[in-house]
């Protein structure tokens, strides 16, 4: 009886392994499916908090805020999405991956960023300033409170993402449906693909 049980289990594993190898999912298919899952799940079930961090590598006050944000990201990886905008004036020139002056200027102008560090939560709540010596605890606490306030809010929209991969190019179609009692004036959809 045990021999037939182990034979059946071995056959199932072999069949399952053959099935998985036949799937041959492309890494781009996997990335698309993950993005679709995050967007659609978040829009149906809970709010995802969006944090924009205006910072610079060569500015002494920024690390205190960066440590606080890093802790938040580690604690809430499914519901806190972040992007760092590095000021080219405060970023050393050989870090070519960081400064994108046009993008930084455009985003900073939306929030009247005058100095860094500057954080925007969901485009509504802002924090400006940092501390020397990487004293991050205070910055963590006030950003945590803002995150907790925003993540509890009911999402007034649903996002459906459809797309297709042609050669190495994705074509996306994003459909955003607002609740009937939501005013769409002054609303903007921003889609960042990384």
């Amino acid at each position: 009886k045990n021999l037939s049980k182990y034979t059946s289990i071995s056959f199932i594993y072999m069949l399952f392994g053959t099935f998985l190898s036949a799937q041959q999912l492309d890494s781009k298919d996997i990335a698309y499916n993950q993005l679709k899952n995050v967007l659609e799940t978040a829009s149906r079930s809970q709010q995802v908090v969006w944090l924009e961090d205006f910072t610079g590598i060569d500015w002494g006050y920024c690390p205190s805020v960066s440590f606080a944000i890093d802790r938040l990201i580690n604690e809430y990886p499914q519901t806190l999405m972040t992007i760092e905008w590095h000021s080219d004036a405060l970023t050393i020139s050989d870090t070519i991956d960081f400064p994108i002056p046009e993008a930084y200027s455009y985003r900073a102008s939306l929030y009247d960023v005058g100095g860094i560090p500057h954080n925007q939560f969901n485009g509504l709540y802002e924090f400006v300033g940092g501390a020397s010596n990487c004293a991050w605890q205070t910055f963590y606490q006030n950003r945590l409170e803002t995150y907790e306030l925003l993540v509890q809010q009911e999402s007034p929209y649903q996002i459906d993402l459809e797309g297709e991969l042609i050669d190495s190019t994705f074509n996306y179609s994003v459909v955003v449906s607002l609740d009937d009692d939501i005013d769409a004036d002054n609303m903007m959809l921003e889609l960042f693909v990384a």
Side-chain angles (χ1 to χ4, degrees):
K1 185 173 180 178
N2 281 340
L3 180 61
S4 68
K5 177 181 172 185
Y6 290 122
T7 304
S8 296
I9 291 172
S10 296
F11 178 72
I12 291 170
Y13 282 132
M14 186 174 72
L15 183 63
F16 186 64
T18 304
F19 175 74
L20 287 178
S21 66
Q23 292 294 307
Q24 297 296 318
L25 286 176
D26 184 293
S27 63
K28 291 180 181 178
D29 290 329
I30 293 169
Y32 168 76
N33 288 333
Q34 288 173 341
L35 174 63
K36 181 177 180 176
N37 185 46
V38 166
L39 284 174
E40 291 181 354
T41 301
S43 70
R44 282 191 297 267
S45 63
Q46 63 185 353
Q47 177 72 270
V48 173
V49 177
W50 175 247
L51 169 59
E52 293 181 76
D53 179 21
F54 295 87
T55 188
I57 291 176
D58 279 355
W59 189 239
Y61 296 117
C62 291
S64 58
V65 174
S66 292
F67 283 122
I69 291 172
D70 189 55
R71 182 166 174 194
L72 284 171
I73 293 168
N74 287 324
E75 290 177 355
Y76 306 102
Q78 299 300 315
T79 54
L80 179 62
M81 302 295 152
T82 64
I83 189 166
E84 288 184 343
W85 298 108
H86 286 262
S87 168
D88 60 328
L90 297 167
T91 300
I92 46 182
S93 61
D94 61 349
T95 55
I96 59 171
D97 293 336
F98 289 114
I100 306 172
E102 300 81 17
Y104 178 92
S105 295
Y106 172 75
R107 298 303 300 177
S109 69
L110 291 176
Y111 306 120
D112 294 324
V113 174
I116 59 173
H118 181 116
N119 301 144
Q120 286 291 146
F121 279 83
N122 285 1
L124 301 172
Y125 297 90
E126 72 178 14
F127 292 95
V128 179
S132 58
N133 300 323
C134 295
W136 60 273
Q137 291 84 353
T138 301
F139 299 104
Y140 167 79
Q141 191 57 43
N142 57 26
R143 283 156 180 81
L144 173 64
E145 291 168 5
T146 301
Y147 164 82
E148 288 174 339
L149 171 76
L150 293 171
V151 80
Q152 293 176 22
Q153 294 178 355
E154 180 99 10
S155 180
Y157 60 85
Q158 177 174 329
I159 297 176
D160 293 305
L161 175 68
E162 297 177 3
E164 62 183 354
L165 177 63
I166 300 174
D167 296 323
S168 61
T169 303
F170 274 119
N171 293 314
Y172 291 100
S173 174
V174 180
V175 178
V176 179
S177 304
L178 290 172
D179 292 345
D180 290 337
D181 60 344
I182 298 297
D183 184 7
D185 288 344
N186 295 323
M187 291 190 125
M188 179 186 326
L189 172 67
E190 297 178 285
L191 183 62
F192 288 88
V193 179

